[in-house]
Amino acid sequence: MKKIKCPDCGADIDVPDDVMINEIVACPDCGLELEITKIEGDKLSYQRVVVEKEDWGE
């Protein structure tokens, strides 16, 4: 099991050893979703998941 730090709250996030690029993991404390962008051995790179909302013209 690998660990990454949540950029929002600093909590440790457990990431399975078989994680794949573009997989989404969520922080257990604050719920922030992170996308795994790069895997180099035990080092993982990740970025926040940005969800764009629909503009319904209201």
Side-chain angles (χ1 to χ4, degrees):
M1 184 84 49
K2 299 173 183 170
K3 289 190 183 275
I4 58 175
K5 284 271 188 204
C6 176
D8 251 17
C9 68
D12 289 329
I13 303 171
D14 292 328
V15 179
D17 288 332
D18 60 349
V19 68
M20 298 171 58
I21 293 176
N22 297 328
E23 192 167 330
I24 306 294
V25 295
C27 176
D29 287 356
C30 70
L32 179 69
E33 292 184 327
L34 302 168
E35 178 181 5
I36 304 299
T37 56
K38 192 174 186 181
I39 302 170
E40 291 179 335
D42 286 341
K43 186 176 179 181
L44 301 173
S45 297
Y46 51 92
Q47 66 183 12
R48 293 172 189 235
V49 174
V50 178
V51 179
E52 294 190 25
K53 296 181 180 178
E54 292 280 335
D55 180 9
W56 297 98
E58 295 178 15

